[in-house]
Amino acid sequence: MNRRYRKTIIAGNWKMNKTATETKKFAEELKVILPKAKWCDVVVCVPFVNIPAALRAFKDMRVAIGAENVFYEKSGAYTGEVSADMLKDLGVKYVIIGHSERRQYFGETDVIVNKKVQAVLEAGMHPIICVGESLEQREMGVTMDLITLQIKSALAGIPAEKVRKCVIAYEPIWAIGTGKTATAEQANEVCNGIRTTIRHLYGARVARSVTIQYGGSMNPKNAEELLAQPDVDGGLIGGAALKPDQFVEIINAANQE
Ligand code: 13P
């Protein structure tokens, strides 16, 4: 973390979990244990259908609501899709883009990721852009090459003032939902590499202002060490974000100093 130059953001990614009723229950439980003073921003990203319930339930808690996906066209004949303007109009502040599960199961490419990032920025929201390598890629020694390509593609055509609004999440695929966490050093090394890529593209001021999260089996036990790294500015949390007590423990770990 480096709060002097950028925000620390703790974000939950609920994935395909919880009904609207369970969303309300989670918020009620969270409200009781959430610290009043927060040195980090808190975001909860929920399935599309739960967004209105989440906005109602988390109101007055200084918790921003995020979506887990979006379609890049503005409107039209795209049955089943949801546009950035629709999300913005509801009150959504963040949108996860290019999560490895979307890349893997729904064929999301770097080109699609770039279009979605543009759409989210144009609508005035913050994209949380996910990048990360598979175990095979790590073992082949191509992690940083691959992630540099993912970052350059995601940000293609985006001007510096909009890059400042982007959040990047480094999520090694081998650490997602596996209980295997990247070591704090591994996480910081890649987050630092991402910042270097942004510095080369946009200069030092932009690079130091961008929030870069780590995601992949982050939990109350390992959060403090990961968040203590200079280039790890928060977390994108799956499993542990589904339980209010664990989520709060991670927020508390980001709230130190
Ligand atoms: P887990 O925290 O369950 O490993 O999930 C991480 C993730 O994919 C967040 O986007």
Side-chain angles (χ1 to χ4, degrees):
M1 294 188 283
N2 186 336
R3 291 204 198 94
R4 216 171 104 154
Y5 295 120
R6 49 194 177 258
K7 278 186 187 169
T8 301
I9 304 177
I10 298 297
N13 172 12
W14 281 9
K15 309 193 178 184
M16 197 173 74
N17 290 295
K18 295 196 192 290
T19 60
T21 310
E22 289 164 343
T23 302
K24 188 163 172 266
K25 185 163 174 277
F26 177 99
E28 284 164 1
E29 288 175 26
L30 188 76
K31 193 167 190 168
V32 179
I33 53 176
L34 192 67
K36 293 282 169 291
K38 291 197 289 295
W39 297 102
C40 63
D41 286 16
V42 178
V43 182
V44 176
C45 300
V46 303
F48 285 140
V49 290
N50 293 343
I51 288 171
L55 285 160
R56 272 196 304 277
F58 289 94
K59 184 163 60 86
D60 312 326
M61 255 191 267
R62 292 208 295 139
V63 171
I65 300 305
E68 301 176 13
N69 185 28
V70 67
F71 190 52
Y72 50 77
E73 293 291 352
K74 279 197 96 59
S75 63
Y78 304 102
T79 303
E81 293 298 319
V82 171
S83 76
D85 286 343
M86 292 173 190
L87 296 174
K88 169 74 178 176
D89 184 61
L90 283 179
V92 168
K93 296 276 191 295
Y94 292 83
V95 184
I96 298 173
I97 312 271
H99 191 281
S100 62
E101 287 149 19
R102 294 220 55 89
R103 294 181 192 253
Q104 188 180 344
Y105 305 133
F106 302 98
E108 213 154 284
T109 62
D110 285 336
V111 173
I112 295 174
V113 169
N114 176 250
K115 288 184 181 180
K116 291 186 173 186
V117 170
Q118 304 223 27
V120 166
L121 288 167
E122 200 174 310
M125 297 178 290
H126 301 279
I128 301 178
I129 304 166
C130 301
V131 297
E133 82 289 1
S134 66
L135 189 58
E136 290 83 354
Q137 289 161 333
R138 176 160 281 269
E139 285 170 352
M140 280 193 288
V142 299
T143 298
M144 218 47 242
D145 295 324
L146 177 96
I147 284 166
T148 302
L149 179 69
Q150 288 178 333
I151 294 287
K152 284 186 174 173
S153 315
L155 298 179
I158 312 241
E161 73 271 13
K162 286 201 168 163
V163 172
R164 287 171 178 272
K165 301 200 159 57
C166 295
V167 176
I168 312 284
Y170 166 53
E171 298 209 314
I173 297 168
W174 48 271
I176 296 176
T178 57
K180 269 192 213 162
T181 325
T183 63
E185 293 70 32
Q186 284 172 327
N188 194 63
E189 187 185 13
V190 178
C191 291
N192 178 270
I194 292 169
R195 204 176 303 286
T196 303
T197 302
I198 298 174
R199 184 162 58 241
H200 290 156
L201 294 170
Y202 296 99
R205 281 174 154 228
V206 174
R208 77 179 182 204
S209 72
V210 173
T211 297
I212 305 180
Q213 300 172 313
Y214 167 80
S217 299
M218 191 185 262
N219 60 43
K221 288 208 175 74
N222 59 31
E224 199 175 324
E225 195 189 354
L226 286 159
L227 295 168
Q229 300 298 312
D231 282 298
V232 178
D233 309 314
L236 186 57
I237 300 127
L242 294 171
K243 303 191 182 81
D245 53 338
Q246 294 194 12
F247 193 47
V248 164
E249 280 191 62
I250 298 174
I251 292 166
N252 287 337
N255 231 0
Q256 309 227 336
E257 267 170 64

